[in-house]
Amino acid sequence: MTKTNFEVRQWAFSYLNQADVDLLLMGLNDWTYSQLILHLRDECQNWPIFEAYVRRARNDEPIQYILKQAHFYDRFFYVDQRVLIPRMETEELIEWVLADNQQSHQKVLDLGTGSGAIAITLKCEQPSWQVTASDISKDAIAVAKQNSTSLKANVDFIVSDVFNNIDDKYDLIISNPPYIADTEITVMDQTVLKYEPHLALFAPNHGLAIYQQIALNLKDHLLTNGTAYFEIGYQQGPQIIAIFKKALPDATVSLQKDMAGNDRMIKVGV
Ligand SMILES: C[S@@+](CC[C@H](N)C(=O)[O-])C[C@H]1O[C@@H](n2cnc3c(N)ncnc32)[C@H](O)[C@@H]1O
């Protein structure tokens, strides 16, 4: 028996929240929200696939991995379990970098690029910038390269553990490194814990280890008057400021809150 999109949507509401149901229907049919509403009385063309998607989402799989796409700064990025799903907070980091740096040419490094969200967005927003993206994970670099090609971004890629394979210096270094402490595993959402790569989430030393590694060699990789921008955990501001102040006593370090009012980003100028 055939079902309308309205009926399958109502059925899915018994298991998932409305936002997730609508994202699945829109992603599956390549519809905008207005198109979804317009097609509600039509026959559902993809019922078996939609039913399977809802089953996967009920098993905590993130909608973005089911659909193999994540919306970030007005673009769709391919994502799968090899990379972190880019978050809204990271869009605010992009906003800060773009607002601060209007100059036509900037040489930029995105350290820990994952899906390539930061590097590719900056290159698309500022095509004259020379952008390099690095990650310790070869799998992540493969996904980021795929996104760079599909979004016509022309970003360069390097597989590197922090700065180990990076010789160059940059005007801007941007990083959203893994910053969750192992001890937080017990309070984390199952959707994140079961599906997102732990290499992208967790770092030793209470989540501070990658900032510590970056701080030790940051000056060697920034050009004169260069600046670094980092996303941070909302409770990590004081510790991370202390890490950079200790490694770089002459640097200026400033903290920025996100839209929710939480400490979320820092800027380090050398
Ligand atoms: C929180 S994710 C950020 C991904 C992406 N930049 C974003 O904002 O959506 C952190 C990324 O850092 C990478 N990473 C973890 N340890 C690293 C290391 N030692 N050196 C370089 N990259 C690392 C992970 O593989 C992951 O892709």
Side-chain angles (χ1 to χ4, degrees):
M1 218 178 70
T2 61
K3 300 172 198 299
T4 63
N5 289 308
F6 178 82
E7 287 166 331
V8 303
R9 187 173 180 244
Q10 290 301 117
W11 165 80
F13 287 164
S14 327
Y15 304 111
L16 305 175
N17 66 48
Q18 181 174 342
D20 285 352
V21 171
D22 287 350
L23 276 177
L24 283 176
L25 275 171
M26 290 189 298
L28 181 58
N29 293 289
D30 206 11
W31 287 336
T32 61
Y33 185 71
S34 315
Q35 288 170 321
L36 165 65
I37 300 302
L38 274 176
H39 286 289
L40 278 180
R41 302 286 159 193
D42 298 344
E43 187 184 327
C44 176
Q45 302 292 335
N46 311 300
W47 163 244
I49 302 175
F50 182 65
E51 190 186 24
Y53 279 8
V54 171
R55 202 175 327 117
R56 286 167 63 183
R58 287 177 67 190
N59 198 26
D60 298 322
E61 188 169 348
I63 304 295
Q64 292 89 339
Y65 288 154
I66 296 172
L67 295 172
K68 299 268 188 287
Q69 65 177 25
H71 192 251
F72 184 82
Y73 214 89
D74 270 350
R75 294 178 185 85
F76 281 103
F77 284 74
Y78 172 89
V79 291
D80 62 27
Q81 279 185 258
R82 291 175 290 176
V83 293
L84 187 96
I85 298 163
R87 304 296 206 270
M88 270 168 55
E89 292 83 351
T90 311
E91 294 182 321
E92 295 189 52
L93 183 67
I94 300 262
E95 285 288 347
W96 197 17
V97 173
L98 289 173
D100 266 7
N101 299 281
Q102 307 285 333
Q103 300 89 325
S104 60
H105 187 79
Q106 295 285 346
K107 195 171 163 193
V108 181
L109 173 68
D110 169 21
L111 197 158
T113 197
S115 63
I118 294 175
I120 293 168
T121 301
L122 290 175
K123 180 69 187 176
C124 289
E125 295 295 317
Q126 289 286 357
S128 65
W129 289 9
Q130 182 189 338
V131 181
T132 300
S134 71
D135 204 290
I136 194 172
S137 159
K138 283 185 190 152
D139 280 346
I141 290 289
V143 173
K145 276 185 180 168
Q146 181 178 333
N147 280 318
S148 179
T149 303
S150 61
L151 291 165
K152 300 181 174 46
N154 196 15
V155 166
D156 297 317
F157 293 95
I158 304 175
V159 176
S160 179
D161 179 355
V162 188
F163 290 120
N164 284 2
N165 294 336
I166 297 173
D167 301 323
D168 250 347
K169 289 176 180 257
Y170 300 87
D171 297 301
L172 305 175
I173 295 178
I174 297 115
S175 185
N176 172 21
Y179 56 68
I180 301 174
D182 295 337
T183 48
E184 288 179 63
I185 208 159
T186 50
V187 295
M188 284 180 68
D189 196 302
Q190 286 302 305
T191 314
V192 177
L193 212 48
K194 275 166 66 176
Y195 288 94
E196 298 204 68
H198 286 202
L199 182 63
L201 298 169
F202 298 103
N205 291 350
H206 311 284
L208 302 172
I210 307 292
Y211 300 101
Q212 288 166 326
Q213 287 181 49
I214 292 174
L216 285 179
N217 294 300
L218 185 62
K219 206 170 165 63
D220 295 340
H221 293 280
L222 278 175
L223 290 160
T224 311
N225 297 324
T227 311
Y229 295 82
F230 301 93
E231 184 170 321
I232 62 168
Y234 73 102
Q235 292 175 315
Q236 293 175 324
Q239 295 106 299
I240 294 177
I241 289 173
I243 287 169
F244 283 100
K245 283 274 184 203
K246 186 171 173 209
L248 302 160
D250 297 330
T252 54
V253 184
S254 43
L255 185 63
Q256 177 97 332
K257 291 187 188 301
D258 61 22
M259 280 195 314
N262 295 314
D263 290 349
R264 183 60 65 193
M265 299 162 263
I266 66 155
K267 171 162 79 169
V268 181
V270 300

PDB file of all heavy atoms in Angstrom, residues 7 77 107 113 122 189 212 236:
ATOM      1  N   GLU A   7       2.128  10.903   5.807  1.00  0.00           N
ATOM      2  CA  GLU A   7       1.975   9.725   6.673  1.00  0.00           C
ATOM      3  C   GLU A   7       3.319   9.193   7.180  1.00  0.00           C
ATOM      4  O   GLU A   7       3.460   8.860   8.357  1.00  0.00           O
ATOM      5  CB  GLU A   7       1.221   8.619   5.909  1.00  0.00           C
ATOM      6  CG  GLU A   7      -0.256   8.931   5.745  1.00  0.00           C
ATOM      7  CD  GLU A   7      -0.925   8.033   4.717  1.00  0.00           C
ATOM      8  OE1 GLU A   7      -0.254   7.573   3.765  1.00  0.00           O
ATOM      9  OE2 GLU A   7      -2.143   7.810   4.862  1.00  0.00           O
ATOM     10  N   PHE A  77      29.032  19.736   3.063  1.00  0.00           N
ATOM     11  CA  PHE A  77      30.275  18.957   3.077  1.00  0.00           C
ATOM     12  C   PHE A  77      29.931  17.474   3.146  1.00  0.00           C
ATOM     13  O   PHE A  77      29.060  17.083   3.924  1.00  0.00           O
ATOM     14  CB  PHE A  77      31.130  19.333   4.309  1.00  0.00           C
ATOM     15  CG  PHE A  77      31.823  20.660   4.160  1.00  0.00           C
ATOM     16  CD1 PHE A  77      31.114  21.848   4.268  1.00  0.00           C
ATOM     17  CD2 PHE A  77      33.183  20.717   3.893  1.00  0.00           C
ATOM     18  CE1 PHE A  77      31.744  23.078   4.106  1.00  0.00           C
ATOM     19  CE2 PHE A  77      33.820  21.930   3.733  1.00  0.00           C
ATOM     20  CZ  PHE A  77      33.106  23.115   3.834  1.00  0.00           C
ATOM     21  N   LYS A 107      48.473  33.751   3.997  1.00  0.00           N
ATOM     22  CA  LYS A 107      48.919  32.357   3.895  1.00  0.00           C
ATOM     23  C   LYS A 107      48.415  31.656   5.159  1.00  0.00           C
ATOM     24  O   LYS A 107      48.747  32.071   6.274  1.00  0.00           O
ATOM     25  CB  LYS A 107      50.450  32.350   3.823  1.00  0.00           C
ATOM     26  CG  LYS A 107      51.008  31.038   3.369  1.00  0.00           C
ATOM     27  CD  LYS A 107      52.503  31.203   3.130  1.00  0.00           C
ATOM     28  CE  LYS A 107      53.165  29.866   3.086  1.00  0.00           C
ATOM     29  NZ  LYS A 107      54.617  29.969   3.175  1.00  0.00           N
ATOM     30  N   THR A 113      42.284  19.347  10.190  1.00  0.00           N
ATOM     31  CA  THR A 113      41.223  19.842   9.292  1.00  0.00           C
ATOM     32  C   THR A 113      39.975  18.969   9.256  1.00  0.00           C
ATOM     33  O   THR A 113      38.890  19.432   8.908  1.00  0.00           O
ATOM     34  CB  THR A 113      41.791  20.068   7.868  1.00  0.00           C
ATOM     35  OG1 THR A 113      40.913  20.895   7.135  1.00  0.00           O
ATOM     36  CG2 THR A 113      41.991  18.755   7.119  1.00  0.00           C
ATOM     37  N   LEU A 122      37.289  28.944   4.359  1.00  0.00           N
ATOM     38  CA  LEU A 122      38.104  30.161   4.248  1.00  0.00           C
ATOM     39  C   LEU A 122      38.535  30.388   2.802  1.00  0.00           C
ATOM     40  O   LEU A 122      38.502  31.513   2.297  1.00  0.00           O
ATOM     41  CB  LEU A 122      39.325  30.067   5.175  1.00  0.00           C
ATOM     42  CG  LEU A 122      39.002  30.141   6.680  1.00  0.00           C
ATOM     43  CD1 LEU A 122      40.267  29.919   7.508  1.00  0.00           C
ATOM     44  CD2 LEU A 122      38.358  31.491   7.056  1.00  0.00           C
ATOM     45  N   ASP A 189      27.070  12.400  24.863  1.00  0.00           N
ATOM     46  CA  ASP A 189      25.943  11.930  24.070  1.00  0.00           C
ATOM     47  C   ASP A 189      26.344  10.659  23.297  1.00  0.00           C
ATOM     48  O   ASP A 189      27.407  10.613  22.683  1.00  0.00           O
ATOM     49  CB  ASP A 189      25.634  13.069  23.084  1.00  0.00           C
ATOM     50  CG  ASP A 189      24.295  12.947  22.454  1.00  0.00           C
ATOM     51  OD1 ASP A 189      24.031  11.911  21.805  1.00  0.00           O
ATOM     52  OD2 ASP A 189      23.529  13.891  22.601  1.00  0.00           O
ATOM     53  N   GLN A 212      49.019  22.196  23.960  1.00  0.00           N
ATOM     54  CA  GLN A 212      50.381  22.259  24.511  1.00  0.00           C
ATOM     55  C   GLN A 212      51.414  22.012  23.414  1.00  0.00           C
ATOM     56  O   GLN A 212      52.421  22.720  23.317  1.00  0.00           O
ATOM     57  CB  GLN A 212      50.526  21.234  25.649  1.00  0.00           C
ATOM     58  CG  GLN A 212      49.761  21.648  26.898  1.00  0.00           C
ATOM     59  CD  GLN A 212      49.594  20.520  27.914  1.00  0.00           C
ATOM     60  OE1 GLN A 212      49.447  19.352  27.541  1.00  0.00           O
ATOM     61  NE2 GLN A 212      49.580  20.871  29.195  1.00  0.00           N
ATOM     62  N   GLN A 236      37.719  25.628  29.332  1.00  0.00           N
ATOM     63  CA  GLN A 236      39.186  25.515  29.244  1.00  0.00           C
ATOM     64  C   GLN A 236      39.905  26.852  29.084  1.00  0.00           C
ATOM     65  O   GLN A 236      41.138  26.867  29.010  1.00  0.00           O
ATOM     66  CB  GLN A 236      39.553  24.631  28.041  1.00  0.00           C
ATOM     67  CG  GLN A 236      39.144  23.170  28.206  1.00  0.00           C
ATOM     68  CD  GLN A 236      39.414  22.359  26.951  1.00  0.00           C
ATOM     69  OE1 GLN A 236      39.260  22.874  25.848  1.00  0.00           O
ATOM     70  NE2 GLN A 236      39.799  21.114  27.113  1.00  0.00           N
TER      71      GLN A 236
END
